Amino acid sequence: MGEAIEVRNLWYIYPNGVVALKGINLEIRLGEKVAIVGPNGAGKSTLIKHFNGLLKPTKGVVRVFGVDTRKTTVATLARRIGIVFQNPYHQFFSEKVWDEVAFALKNFGFPEETIRHRVTKVLRLFDLYDYADRSPFTLSSGEMRRLAMASILAYDPDIIVFDEPTVGQDRFHKEKIREYIKLLSSQGKTIILVTHDIDFVVEEFDRLIVMSEGRIIADGAPREILYNEEILTKASLILPQIPRLVKYSEIPFLLKHKPLTEDELLIAVLGILRGDGGRC
Amino acid sequence: MLSLVSSVYEIFVFRKKAKLLYNIDPRVKMVQLIVTLIAIALTTNLILQLFIMAYLIAFTVIGADVRRILRSIRTILKMLIMFYIIIYVVNAFPQIVNLNVAFQSLIAIFRFFMLIYSFSLFFTTTQLDDLAQSLCKLKVPYHIAFTLTLSVRFIPTVAKDFLTVYDSQRARGLEMEKGSFLKRVKKFLALLIPVFIVSFLRVDRIAEALESRAFGLVKNRTFLYEVKVGLKDIIFLVVAITPLLTILYLQYYPIYF
Ligand SMILES: Nc1ncnc2c1ncn2[C@@H]1O[C@H](COP(=O)(O)OP(=O)(O)OP(=O)(O)O)[C@@H](O)[C@H]1O
Ligand SMILES: [Mg+2]
């Protein structure tokens, strides 16, 4: 047990012939925090759509909580795995923000009382409570994105997949999303994050998956991958700020660890100055 | 239903290929299309209809991307099987088995199939910008030609929106297959409203973007690549039209053996 998602030799070909996934192998354990990065068109969104059965494998198997996604319905899977999609415009249809959040809860047949309680809670959490009676379409795009998140988190799935949640968020709300992911993770939720925002990954995630052209080209600790220029080049990523700084300075020879955040670098540099080799 | 939506894409979208039909002037192909449509509409004789079908197949093989058209056919057929069942049930009611109706419906569907097939052949081999230009040369005002081609251009986009919306709602536990009729209608709204809104927003955005790039400023807009009717096009026209005119002739002056 402990396996939340298991992907075996997954191939996916779109009806128009695009081979979007080419033999993906992947295991995500319960409670893990995984980030998926890769250039546009790498197949990230295609991969996550297999997690709740929206797409079924052309070849290979995807099992979620041990269940083959081909042998169950999307609704059944959706109850335990929530996906927050890239574009919020594609899901809003209610007259009120409140109803939008209540939508999934109603689909899953929660009792009225629970719905009221959950919606209030999640709207508060996302700073949207004051907008409860407004139309979703009058929100700013950052607010819409948060509403899209709220509408999934309201029903409390065990695995939460975010497809680029930080796009268009201001610093403050990016920070809030980070806190929220932390909170969810501390509650034992499995978090899967698709993003282009490497700095966001650096601080929170203990596992990084790099995709390129339908394949996984790296899967491991961010600390190792983000210092590996070969992999980063393949994925059209640039060396993140801190590794770059380390690379172009004289420090790497003095460091025993690879710092990823400003704080870690600071501690490392202070360590060097103190003369103990900059242990993080 | 949804795979059908996605397949609209396959039926209509142009993708460049170096084959004959792709290099023929759109005006010539338009004439071919119109004559084909007339022939399909006017022929009642099954044999002649089969000839039209053979004609379409011949042009696919000679001038189009055969694999592409095959995919297109597959999706058209899927769509038509549904129509066939509906037509049959409506006409045969209250009978269950009625061979005559089954045959008649089959012929009706067959014509419909050829109709879509001809459109598919036209649109998959014609670049929309060239089409707009050709319409302009036929003295259609540019903004009308442009709007027309733009709407064709957006059929697959809206189809794609529909799928994205459907995915988003399913991810939130929406089950279209469940519930009473009224409930399903209500559920359908959860799909329809976002599609409309996304479409409207897009229209707004496109309008702004077009205006910001001086759309409609000058009357006689220029085109990057001029379409021209050359000798090749005229020969094509003659070769393409003759069989159809022959079929039409045979429809009205049948030869009995
Ligand atoms: N509905 C579709 N039909 C056909 N091809 C598609 C479809 N959706 C995606 N693709 C193709 O599949 C490939 C992978 O797309 P995908 O959306 O998974 O990329 P992504 O990694 O999420 O990119 P991005 O960072 O831009 O979101 C791309 O080449 C894309 O063009
Ligand atoms: Mg994507």
Side-chain angles (χ1 to χ4, degrees):
Chain A
M1 249 324 282
E3 214 75 86
I5 294 174
E6 187 191 347
V7 179
R8 286 275 158 264
N9 188 29
L10 167 62
W11 287 72
Y12 187 77
I13 303 173
Y14 278 105
N16 65 357
V18 174
V19 186
L21 299 176
K22 304 169 186 167
I24 300 281
N25 282 296
L26 183 66
E27 272 149 44
I28 295 174
R29 285 185 308 280
L30 216 56
E32 230 179 341
K33 243 189 304 184
V34 183
I36 303 177
V37 299
N40 294 129
K44 305 179 297 288
S45 299
T46 308
L47 176 62
I48 61 173
K49 279 189 188 167
H50 280 86
F51 294 165
N52 67 353
L54 284 175
L55 296 178
K56 312 279 187 204
T58 307
K59 207 176 111 194
V61 192
V62 177
R63 273 187 278 266
V64 177
F65 295 112
V67 179
D68 188 335
T69 58
R70 275 174 304 197
K71 300 200 173 109
T72 179
T73 66
V74 176
T76 315
L77 289 166
R79 177 63 195 86
R80 296 195 68 188
I81 169 160
I83 300 187
V84 185
F85 281 106
Q86 266 173 323
N87 191 347
Y89 283 116
H90 283 119
Q91 48 173 294
F92 298 157
F93 68 98
S94 313
E95 282 167 55
K96 291 176 182 172
V97 165
W98 177 282
D99 297 328
E100 201 59 55
V101 178
F103 176 68
L105 294 164
K106 284 184 188 153
N107 284 334
F108 293 125
F110 282 87
E112 196 62 36
E113 188 54 40
T114 318
I115 294 182
R116 208 169 318 129
H117 175 75
R118 290 263 184 101
V119 176
T120 311
K121 196 174 121 196
V122 77
L123 284 179
R124 285 238 161 82
L125 203 58
F126 280 95
D127 278 337
L128 291 168
Y129 191 73
D130 294 339
Y131 302 147
D133 289 328
R134 258 172 64 177
S135 156
F137 301 103
T138 63
L139 301 180
S140 79
S141 66
E143 288 161 350
M144 279 195 196
R145 232 164 243 281
R146 263 147 53 215
L147 177 58
M149 257 181 258
S151 77
I152 295 292
L153 293 170
Y155 68 83
D156 198 32
D158 300 317
I159 306 174
I160 302 141
V161 185
F162 298 92
D163 201 348
E164 307 197 23
T166 53
V167 177
Q169 294 293 334
D170 61 28
R171 230 187 107 85
F172 175 75
H173 285 102
K174 212 154 139 177
E175 206 50 50
K176 283 213 88 164
I177 292 171
R178 191 203 302 272
E179 304 251 296
Y180 199 69
I181 288 178
K182 237 184 196 164
L183 177 72
L184 288 169
S185 177
S186 73
Q187 291 170 352
K189 304 279 180 207
T190 309
I191 309 283
I192 299 167
L193 171 75
V194 173
T195 188
H196 292 286
D197 192 342
I198 288 290
D199 291 317
F200 193 79
V201 173
V202 160
E203 308 204 355
E204 290 308 328
F205 286 78
D206 25 59
R207 182 171 169 199
L208 179 63
I209 291 171
V210 184
M211 289 186 69
S212 170
E213 292 173 15
R215 294 198 174 84
I216 291 181
I217 58 167
D219 180 352
R223 208 173 289 283
E224 295 309 319
I225 292 171
L226 295 177
Y227 271 88
N228 187 332
E229 260 181 290
E230 197 188 325
I231 291 172
L232 294 180
T233 313
K234 256 197 201 165
S236 329
L237 293 167
I238 50 164
L239 215 52
Q241 276 189 11
I242 303 293
R244 197 153 22 131
L245 190 66
V246 171
K247 187 187 166 207
Y248 292 121
S249 64
E250 296 295 307
I251 313 175
F253 307 105
L254 302 170
L255 287 178
K256 285 187 180 151
H257 274 276
K258 297 170 176 163
L260 278 180
T261 64
E262 289 162 33
D263 290 349
E264 285 175 5
L265 182 68
L266 190 66
I267 293 170
V269 171
L270 287 176
I272 293 170
L273 295 178
R274 271 205 313 273
D276 64 3
R279 203 172 293 276
C280 287
Chain B
M1 170 184 72
L2 284 139
S3 66
L4 293 179
V5 173
S6 74
S7 52
V8 171
Y9 196 83
E10 284 302 320
I11 304 179
F12 289 114
V13 174
F14 173 84
R15 236 177 276 133
K16 206 157 182 57
K17 261 274 151 76
K19 293 205 78 175
L20 178 69
L21 276 174
Y22 292 77
N23 296 316
I24 296 296
D25 187 283
R27 280 165 289 180
V28 170
K29 277 190 281 181
M30 251 188 282
V31 175
Q32 187 197 12
L33 177 65
I34 291 167
V35 180
T36 313
L37 296 182
I38 292 174
I40 293 170
L42 295 184
T43 43
T44 46
N45 181 315
L46 181 63
I47 306 232
L48 291 179
Q49 285 174 356
L50 287 173
F51 269 118
I52 300 178
M53 193 64 231
Y55 169 88
L56 290 174
I57 291 171
F59 270 85
T60 310
V61 175
I62 296 166
D65 179 354
V66 176
R67 277 175 53 203
R68 181 72 206 285
I69 296 289
L70 278 180
R71 273 209 297 275
S72 175
I73 289 180
R74 213 169 53 201
T75 53
I76 298 173
L77 282 181
K78 270 192 238 162
M79 202 148 53
L80 291 187
I81 285 172
M82 230 163 54
F83 275 133
Y84 178 73
I85 294 169
I86 295 171
I87 293 180
Y88 176 78
V89 171
V90 169
N91 285 305
F93 190 80
Q95 279 171 289
I96 305 278
V97 183
N98 185 330
L99 285 182
N100 191 27
V101 171
F103 184 67
Q104 291 306 327
S105 325
L106 193 65
I107 289 188
I109 286 292
F110 179 55
R111 280 172 119 173
F112 197 57
F113 170 76
M114 290 196 293
L115 203 81
I116 304 180
Y117 190 118
S118 333
F119 273 106
S120 179
L121 205 54
F122 179 76
F123 280 110
T124 48
T125 58
T126 307
Q127 192 142 23
L128 286 173
D129 195 47
D130 291 349
L131 181 60
Q133 196 188 140
S134 308
L135 288 171
C136 282
K137 294 215 163 136
L138 296 170
K139 300 278 177 272
V140 177
Y142 183 67
H143 67 272
I144 293 178
F146 185 78
T147 314
L148 274 176
T149 51
L150 202 64
S151 14
V152 176
R153 154 81 184 70
F154 275 104
I155 292 173
T157 312
V158 173
K160 209 167 161 216
D161 281 341
F162 194 88
L163 287 177
T164 315
V165 169
Y166 186 54
D167 278 354
S168 302
Q169 306 301 43
R170 280 202 297 168
R172 296 199 288 168
L174 180 82
E175 281 182 292
M176 284 305 290
E177 306 81 19
K178 276 193 180 164
S180 66
F181 180 70
L182 210 66
K183 275 222 180 87
R184 282 188 206 202
V185 171
K186 237 178 110 185
K187 282 178 182 174
F188 200 65
L189 284 183
L191 300 182
L192 223 48
I193 294 173
V195 171
F196 269 98
I197 286 175
V198 172
S199 302
F200 283 136
L201 288 173
R202 180 178 296 117
V203 169
D204 253 10
R205 264 206 329 267
I206 290 172
E208 281 175 8
L210 286 176
E211 275 180 68
S212 340
R213 286 179 290 172
F215 179 78
L217 188 66
V218 287
K219 266 252 161 59
N220 287 318
R221 184 181 182 277
T222 52
F223 291 89
L224 187 53
Y225 302 102
E226 288 279 327
V227 295
K228 275 205 189 79
V229 178
L231 184 62
K232 176 186 67 180
D233 298 301
I234 293 174
I235 295 172
F236 177 88
L237 186 66
V238 173
V239 174
I241 299 295
T242 314
L244 291 173
L245 293 182
T246 313
I247 289 170
L248 276 173
Y249 178 83
L250 291 176
Q251 167 70 28
Y252 292 105
Y253 303 97
I255 304 167
Y256 298 102
F257 296 101

